[in-house]
Amino acid sequence: MNVRPVLDANASAGGGNLGNLPEWDLTDLYAAPDAPELKRDLDWLEASCKSFASDYEGKIAGLDARGFLEMVERHEKIENIAGRIMSFAGLRYYQNTTDPDRAKFLSDAQEKITVYTTPLVFFSLEINRLEDAAYADLFDADADLARYKPAFDRIRAMKPYQLSDEMEKFLHDMGVVGDAWERLFDETISGLEFEVDGEVMGIEGTLNCLTEQDRAKREAAARELARVFAGNIRTFARVHNTQTKEKEVMDRWRGMPTPQTGRHLANDVEPEVVEALRDAVVAAYPKLSHRYYELKRKWLGLERMQVWDRNAPLPMETTRTVDWDEARETVMNAYSEFDPKMAEIAEPFFSKGWIDAAVTPGKAPGAFAHPTVTNVHPYVLLNYLGKPRDVMTLAHELGHGVHQVLAAGQGEMLSSTPLTLAETASVFGEMLTFRRMLRNAKDDAERKVLLAGKVEDMINTVVRQIAFYDFECKLHEARRSGELTPDDINALWMSVQAESLGPAFDFMDGYETFWAYIPHFVHSPFYVYAYAFGDGLVNALYANYEEAPDGFQEKYFDMLKAGGSKHHTDLLAPFGLDATDPAFWDKGLSMISGLIDELEAMED
């Protein structure tokens, strides 16, 4: 029942006079924290969980297909109400994580729902105790029930790692403890203050300074980030040590063979597919990030690159602010050009209070699209500051939103996609926006800036995220041998940075602490490879679209509508694509390499 939004690791930021930025209207969930409808739903949830357990605990094996379907529908209703409550509490909290009233409201809601739903722990346990033949017969006997089989197959995948009923209930109740550590991380990050050139700002504004044209300002921001992270490093190390140890204990008790196993199961993806992706990306570092950053070093006129130059604008790039109306028009035109239906689905996000765009004190950094529940709608969080890359962040999160709207028809159990597929529509939305902007470029200089920006985004999505994945693998492995000091974690971070970024870079003192602000390491261990998976998938999809555009949109929308009801092999089959083929990833990486080829050719 944990429905916390997942912050996107690739969110970027800018600055300037931005126009009228939208704020969330959460009244489609509840009118207020003290709304009578909220109390009504909490009371209903408590009673419904008790009655569900009374009616079904110890009895699932005796149900026929019709009775099983009725049970599933009752469980979905419980999921829906719990998800609605937690979405409201969570979204309010992420608007201002430093507000104690919002933090208390979220904590109280989490604790109540944890207590109310503890009687439901038996549900998945008894499902997994069904004999294989009886399980198969249930879904063969009823077509209405059969559509739910993919969701139950994913539950059954956890069967080898299931503990006793009492232990599972204990772990369910203890979940609020792990949530508290995550909130400590969020509140610490959101409460940090940085001073750059006499201006005090939060983390979003400071990270934004790393994309300024003025190199001295970029350096000042990088050094201030390092100073503040160092001052808080013991807190961040404690959070990471605790969360990683908690996962190690859980994995050990469950008999998980690797720290990554749980994520692969949740993503419904084979470990060998992820390792093939990881290996392909690492092997491609020289022809991707190493080659690109050497080009960028020359453009910047530097002997050596520093970490504050990684996301620097190009010298020929005009410093400008993209106001909100222009960003909206750019993305909506790209979506509409692909298919008017896509823009039609996206429109309410702008007109009905489904986007919260402004940077405000205490607001969670980064960006996300949260689906809430299937009978409401998604909400998008941005920290929009007006850089051209912010337009891509909008395109990315709006892609998630479109996907979530289309998948809602599957219902609570089947609408949610594995993380690997969840990035498909978001990265595809970015690609549509980029390609339209590239077609409309006024001259070679603008085209070069756009190409370089897209290559950097792809490197951040593929190379950087796989480096993050390798860091996490090393972190979890090292923690198994004992407590890690901040210096230990710093060393693990640096061990992947030079390898991924390449020989053009030097690393300032203090950069070793920059692992501290990445939310995924705390909130969603091993999530990050999903970005690389999504980018490779979209590159292959977009190539398919260019080669055979007729009928592509219909197949694409069908894929998004499927939500989590199909395995990635079934979703990709209509396009003639297969992610289990190791060569599949090389095709996606070749698209990035080809863009770098174009940039090199422009040097001649």
Side-chain angles (χ1 to χ4, degrees), residues 247 259-260 263 469 472-473 476 520 524-530:
K247 188 177 190 314
Q260 300 85 0
R263 177 62 62 202
Y469 177 67
E472 283 192 277
C473 291
H476 284 258
H520 289 69
S524 309
F526 304 109
Y527 176 111
V528 289
Y529 73 73

Side-chain angles (χ1 to χ4, degrees), residues 4 67 84 89 96 106 166 189 331 340 442 450 482 497 524 532 580-581 596:
R4 176 185 297 103
R84 190 185 194 109
N96 187 354
L106 173 62
E166 292 78 8
I189 282 289
V331 176
K442 299 187 296 290
L450 286 168
Q497 291 303 303
S524 309
T580 64
D581 179 359
I596 300 173

Side-chain angles (χ1 to χ4, degrees), residues 314-336:
L314 303 187
M316 73 287 292
E317 188 171 337
T318 304
T319 300
R320 73 183 189 94
T321 296
V322 182
D323 68 27
W324 181 251
D325 287 342
E326 182 183 349
R328 171 181 177 165
E329 182 182 5
T330 299
V331 176
M332 289 293 281
N333 284 343
Y335 277 26
S336 181

Side-chain angles (χ1 to χ4, degrees), residues 467-468 470-471 474 491-501:
F468 283 178
D470 279 355
F471 166 73
K474 292 183 175 187
L492 295 175
W493 173 256
M494 293 308 296
S495 74
V496 302
Q497 291 303 303
E499 179 188 21
S500 62
L501 293 176

Side-chain angles (χ1 to χ4, degrees), residues 331 335 390-400 425-426 429-430 433:
V331 176
Y335 277 26
D390 283 357
V391 180
M392 290 300 173
T393 301
L394 172 61
H396 181 104
E397 300 306 337
L398 206 58
H400 278 307
S426 54
E430 284 188 73
T433 305

Side-chain angles (χ1 to χ4, degrees), residues 209-210 212-222 308-309 312-313:
C209 291
L210 299 179
E212 291 287 339
Q213 192 70 257
D214 182 353
R215 191 174 192 236
K217 186 163 189 175
R218 295 200 307 270
E219 178 178 355
W308 54 77
D309 300 314

